[in-house]
Amino acid sequence: MDEDQLAYYSAMSEEVFETQEDVLKWARTVARENGFVAVIIRSDTYIGSRGRTSFVLIGCERSGKYKGRKKEFVRKDTGTRKCGCLFKIRGKPVHGGEGWAVKLICGIHNHELAKTLVGHPYAGRLTDDEKNIIADMTKLNVKLRNILLMLKEHNSSSCTTIKQIYNARSAYRSSIRGDDSEMQHLMRLLECDQYIHWHRLKDEDVARDLFWCHPDAVKLCNACHLVFFIDSTYKKNRHRLSLLDIVGVTPTGMTFSAGFAYLEDRDLALMNAVKVVFPECKNLLCRFHIDKNVKAKCKSLVGQKNAWDYVMDSWGNLVDCPSEQEFPEHLQRVEYAHWSLKRILQNSVGDLCSIWDAMNNMMALQHTEIRASFETSTHVVGHVFKKTLYKRLLGIMSRPEGLCEAEVSIKEEMDRI
């Protein structure tokens, strides 16, 4: 008689359980302590029909044999845990009284007991509270590994794996979408949050291009319409649609997302359209991709890694030489805005709705920071400008990084005099 059989015998000889759920809870707890997973093999409930009785038959998760649905098709990378384990216990109501009694049918396992239950699907099942936590953290675009770490921090004995977190997240997103397609649900989200959006159809029922703009971004565009940067990013969704990102610049030196668009056509069509709509705009080459190409060429021509670093440092110093004083600084802010967008999109297999959720959260934080910068610009006065000379400028002129160009020029002229 093995150790887990003794544990079952000692408990079954004395204890009577109130309900069937108590029997299941007890059986799973003892099984977990002994290194296996207890599952329901069969059960029934007496409803007054002849021949039916209330009972529950509990066994090891490795009991029974695997039955393939398609015998002619068996994947090489699949397997089964079932090995015909004989362990079984039976629970049924007590005759002439209240409660449930448990009887051991077979206490023998034909396999070694597990040292850990991590990786066993049933042992790692999520509770309702854990599913709610995953749903809330999915809305905030928290990465799967961080969700798993938080669950294990709250429950150190949890056997949940990253795959189960992924499945729970997918189930949550599917429950929200319902029977709608990705594009239909995205349209519904845009209308619900009062986004300004426009789409163009390829066929009668297939969306070809989609543009959307946050309602607060429209107000910023009307107030800050002098400078806009347009850039496209690729491989950020499962449909391989290019994402057009339009970035504006506020008087306080911050950037904001003016609008987004999913485009079926690539760079050539976009460049042709920009020439027509904005004939005086400047076409800027992407520094990231230029550096990437230079580095690849450098590796093929230069043999030593130390030489690579020297060449790339020299190249960086050459590119950073400004022809105009403020151009590199503003360009760096815009490049950071595009990089921030790529960072929140995380991978190239996301669906359109999850990407929109991430971008919507990003813009909510972005607009909060911009409002704070406006308030700071109008209410915070630098100590060097608390003079009568600047009295009419205070609260009227914005000051990126604390000082605007006009204020600096006036201060330098006053110091010279």
Side-chain angles (χ1 to χ4, degrees), residues 331-390:
L331 183 59
Q332 185 177 3
R333 288 198 186 101
V334 175
E335 288 178 347
Y336 175 78
H338 291 303
W339 176 82
S340 299
L341 174 62
K342 293 179 181 180
R343 182 181 59 180
I344 66 166
L345 298 183
Q346 296 182 0
N347 55 53
S348 59
V349 294
D351 60 87
L352 301 180
C353 300
S354 61
I355 291 174
W356 180 86
D357 286 335
M359 296 162 68
N360 187 44
N361 293 336
M362 178 196 72
M363 285 187 287
L365 297 176
Q366 191 179 84
H367 295 161
T368 300
E369 293 179 0
I370 291 175
R371 292 191 187 98
S373 70
F374 286 168
E375 288 298 313
T376 301
S377 180
T378 55
H379 291 87
V380 177
V381 180
H383 295 289
V384 295
F385 300 111
K386 291 181 179 180
K387 298 179 181 179
T388 308
L389 180 65
Y390 307 105

Side-chain angles (χ1 to χ4, degrees), residues 377-413:
S377 180
T378 55
H379 291 87
V380 177
V381 180
H383 295 289
V384 295
F385 300 111
K386 291 181 179 180
K387 298 179 181 179
T388 308
L389 180 65
Y390 307 105
K391 185 176 180 179
R392 295 185 179 182
L393 298 177
L394 299 180
I396 299 176
M397 299 185 64
S398 59
R399 303 190 318 280
E401 304 298 335
L403 300 175
C404 73
E405 183 179 0
E407 290 173 324
V408 172
S409 300
I410 295 174
K411 182 179 181 303
E412 290 178 352
E413 186 65 18

Side-chain angles (χ1 to χ4, degrees), residues 255-273:
T255 57
F256 65 94
S257 298
F260 301 95
Y262 280 124
L263 301 177
E264 190 176 72
D265 294 330
R266 294 277 179 142
D267 288 342
L268 185 59
L270 174 62
M271 294 171 66
N272 293 334

Side-chain angles (χ1 to χ4, degrees), residues 268-334:
L268 185 59
L270 174 62
M271 294 171 66
N272 293 334
V274 169
K275 288 180 181 179
V276 176
V277 179
F278 305 106
E280 298 181 359
C281 72
K282 300 296 183 181
N283 185 18
L284 303 177
L285 299 178
C286 180
R287 177 174 173 179
F288 172 79
H289 290 96
I290 292 176
D291 289 345
K292 188 176 180 180
N293 294 335
V294 170
K295 189 173 183 178
K297 195 69 174 178
C298 177
K299 286 184 178 181
S300 63
L301 297 177
V302 182
Q304 299 179 355
K305 188 178 183 303
N306 294 335
W308 299 349
D309 298 336
Y310 176 77
V311 172
M312 292 307 299
D313 290 341
S314 301
W315 166 255
N317 294 332
L318 177 64
V319 174
D320 289 335
C321 292
S323 58
E324 297 182 12
Q325 184 176 359
E326 294 188 0
F327 175 79
E329 180 182 353
H330 289 289
L331 183 59
Q332 185 177 3
R333 288 198 186 101
V334 175

Side-chain angles (χ1 to χ4, degrees), residues 14 24 139 156 166 180 185 213 243 258 278 309 319 337 354 366 376 387:
E14 302 176 357
L24 293 173
K139 296 176 184 177
S156 58
Y166 176 83
D180 293 340
H185 186 60
C213 179
L243 177 61
F278 305 106
D309 298 336
V319 174
S354 61
Q366 191 179 84
T376 301
K387 298 179 181 179

